[in-house]
Amino acid sequence: METADLLKVLYIVAIVAEAMTAALAAGRREMDWVGVCLLGSVTALGGGSVRDVLLGRHPLSWVQHPEYLLITCGAALATIMVARYMRHLRYVFLFLDAVGLVVFTVIGCNVAMSLDMPVVVVIAAGMITGCVGGVLRDVLCADVPLLFRAELYGTVSIVTGGLYMAGKALDLPHDPLTIGVMAFGLGMRMLALRFGWRMPKFVYTETIH
Amino acid sequence: METADLLKVLYIVAIVAEAMTAALAAGRREMDWVGVCLLGSVTALGGGSVRDVLLGRHPLSWVQHPEYLLITCGAALATIMVARYMRHLRYVFLFLDAVGLVVFTVIGCNVAMSLDMPVVVVIAAGMITGCVGGVLRDVLCADVPLLFRAELYGTVSIVTGGLYMAGKALDLPHDPLTIGVMAFGLGMRMLALRFGWRMPKFVYTETIH
Amino acid sequence: METADLLKVLYIVAIVAEAMTAALAAGRREMDWVGVCLLGSVTALGGGSVRDVLLGRHPLSWVQHPEYLLITCGAALATIMVARYMRHLRYVFLFLDAVGLVVFTVIGCNVAMSLDMPVVVVIAAGMITGCVGGVLRDVLCADVPLLFRAELYGTVSIVTGGLYMAGKALDLPHDPLTIGVMAFGLGMRMLALRFGWRMPKFVYTETIH
């Protein structure tokens, strides 16, 4: 299997995993079935959509491939059926969520590179693709986004994108580079979860406004 | 009057109704007059704007017709004056809000069809047009969007869009089809309000993150 | 120095000031360093980005000038270092924030004028550029946006944009007009802060939904 095909398969796995974890978040808010579908789809497809809107790239992926919308709605609805067993799958989902983070990041970098964007924008595009879906989920649940506090979530995306661009600058061969940086990012996220690694927090208690 | 003209008239009625109900939401948050105008305009025009941004369709309707902005600001300010009487108009507003929902949905479907979008995207565009304004209103009020829980709100939009597309596929004549699906959607929403119909809720109490 | 250069310098000052005040908001929410960078960048660059997305203007400013992203991240991180001294700089920051408001407003008007937009859209574009960054900051902090309640914040932006367009309609010379309306808007905001001027509030206690 070529890396491009692997990325495509992992992309489907990732949007399914994101839609399912978002469906659980919807369930914690007692949303109805339509809300579950919507929150799942926005979470799974929102990062790539925001990236494409900001970069002025049309059509968006789910406009070109409407089956993605059906997949995310189906995954969100399926979650309602299997939710009672998901407690036992906690680690599977944290793992799939981490896979989604690095896959989305690399895909976002590839999209921005195909548009000849400067390197800072490429890394930003990777991070937007990887992280914004979860931000939209949290905003729609009226929460402060987890991204701003979670174990290295945003950091993993930036590091993955940065290493990928460094490898490209060194002209490393595409396929091993792609696999390598995704494995590195995935390992970093799983270790951060295992050992509770976090970025230092900034705590400020004065009021300026 | 042709259906296209009817839709245009109903569109104006709908943005006025949406701006006025959003102004009441602003009043419950004790926003100032500028906030009332902004929340009213974002609620009334936000759904169509998000649809056009996602589909890459420019100029947006309020950019091409800036008078829409003046209408929504005017409606929101007028609400401040007449708010004391609106308690008695509760059912009028729930009715106009439902009119807005189905009118926005059909207009959104028409826009996506004019861009030759696939049917899933057409129905999604109808729903985005019908529902996203209210989601933006709730997010700006720091609430969990009503859409995710309200009486068949999103469902009415999906069913209206789905029937509209089914009628198009069966080559039903345009004008009766348009009137018919809007009447059906409107009736469905009003019955849901009257009898408290809701989609089943998904309640999940475990924590996965 | 020409006005165009002055605007450019003031723009940099403004994005630094916005990123720093957003970093303090992040600190009050105990966000981590990555969250501080993100919230600072979204606040500083979000208004212009939303304006460009709504007007269909690409590339966005930070895509064309990725150094802006580095500036806002740097300013946000620097805030962590100097936060303990910022209490004494409260008034400096309120002043710089007001500078940002009028500079962003004038720049937003200029962008919309360069696209030959009608006058209502030009004033709206100025206000979006001036105010939406702060709205995004507040939404990401799960707060009701300050804009909807703060001392003349949105009003200052509308008045500044309106005077600017009036001056253009009267064919006043560009440079003195630009300086003049910015000075007027800045003075209006500072006086509003000093004397607690606010727009009247709309208070509504009934429930309509």
Side-chain angles (χ1 to χ4, degrees), chain A:
Chain A
M1 187 153 70
E2 287 185 36
T3 316
D5 294 332
L6 177 65
L7 269 185
K8 201 152 189 180
V9 170
L10 288 177
Y11 177 77
I12 303 293
V13 170
I15 62 175
V16 167
E18 299 293 326
M20 292 184 84
T21 50
L24 293 184
R28 279 193 294 276
R29 301 273 160 178
E30 308 199 355
M31 293 183 187
D32 67 25
W33 290 10
V34 172
V36 170
C37 282
L38 294 178
L39 197 71
S41 299
V42 169
T43 305
L45 303 172
S49 299
V50 168
R51 174 203 66 218
D52 286 347
V53 164
L54 292 175
L55 297 182
R57 176 175 177 265
H58 290 281
L60 305 194
S61 61
W62 56 269
V63 172
Q64 198 163 18
H65 299 284
E67 64 272 20
Y68 293 169
L69 265 183
L70 301 177
I71 290 173
T72 54
C73 285
L77 289 178
T79 307
I80 298 176
M81 311 302 146
V82 303
R84 73 188 62 181
Y85 313 108
M86 286 181 75
R87 191 157 50 89
H88 310 293
L89 299 174
R90 181 178 148 79
Y91 292 103
V92 175
F93 270 89
L94 284 173
F95 178 78
L96 291 179
D97 182 75
V99 169
L101 175 63
V102 296
V103 170
F104 283 168
T105 299
V106 167
I107 289 174
C109 291
N110 284 340
V111 166
M113 276 193 289
S114 74
L115 299 169
D116 287 322
M117 293 290 167
V119 62
V120 171
V121 176
V122 170
I123 294 173
M127 191 187 186
I128 290 166
T129 314
C131 301
V132 165
V135 171
L136 292 173
R137 178 197 60 213
D138 295 341
V139 165
L140 290 173
C141 290
D143 287 327
V144 174
L146 262 182
L147 168 64
F148 297 154
R149 295 195 268 210
E151 295 91 347
L152 301 193
Y153 205 87
T155 313
V156 165
S157 186
I158 295 174
V159 169
T160 303
L163 287 178
Y164 190 51
M165 294 315 291
K168 287 283 173 193
L170 295 171
D171 236 345
L172 298 186
H174 178 76
D175 288 9
L177 173 63
T178 305
I179 306 288
V181 297
M182 290 199 302
F184 183 90
L186 184 60
M188 187 175 162
R189 169 76 178 147
M190 294 315 287
L191 288 171
L193 281 170
R194 173 70 187 75
F195 296 108
W197 292 346
R198 289 167 187 274
M199 287 291 285
K201 273 185 189 165
F202 171 40
V203 179
Y204 184 75
T205 51
E206 308 278 344
T207 300
I208 196 156
H209 269 299

Side-chain angles (χ1 to χ4, degrees), chain B residues 39-59:
Chain B
L39 198 71
S41 300
V42 169
T43 304
L45 303 172
S49 298
V50 168
R51 175 203 64 218
D52 287 348
V53 163
L54 292 176
L55 298 182
R57 176 174 176 264
H58 290 280

Side-chain angles (χ1 to χ4, degrees), chain C residues 152-200:
Chain C
L152 301 193
Y153 206 87
T155 313
V156 165
S157 186
I158 293 173
V159 169
T160 302
L163 287 178
Y164 190 50
M165 294 314 291
K168 286 283 173 193
L170 294 171
D171 236 345
L172 298 186
H174 178 77
D175 288 11
L177 173 63
T178 305
I179 306 288
V181 298
M182 290 199 303
F184 183 90
L186 184 59
M188 186 176 163
R189 168 77 178 148
M190 295 315 287
L191 288 171
L193 280 170
R194 174 69 187 77
F195 296 108
W197 293 345
R198 288 168 187 272
M199 287 292 283

Side-chain angles (χ1 to χ4, degrees), chain B residues 176-187:
Chain B
L177 173 63
T178 306
I179 306 288
V181 299
M182 290 199 302
F184 183 90
L186 184 59

Side-chain angles (χ1 to χ4, degrees), chain B residues 27 29 31-33 87 90 140, chain C residues 145 148 200 202 204 206 208:
Chain B
R29 301 273 160 176
M31 293 184 184
D32 68 23
W33 291 11
R87 191 159 49 90
R90 180 178 148 81
L140 290 173
Chain C
F148 296 154
F202 171 40
Y204 184 75
E206 307 279 344
I208 197 156

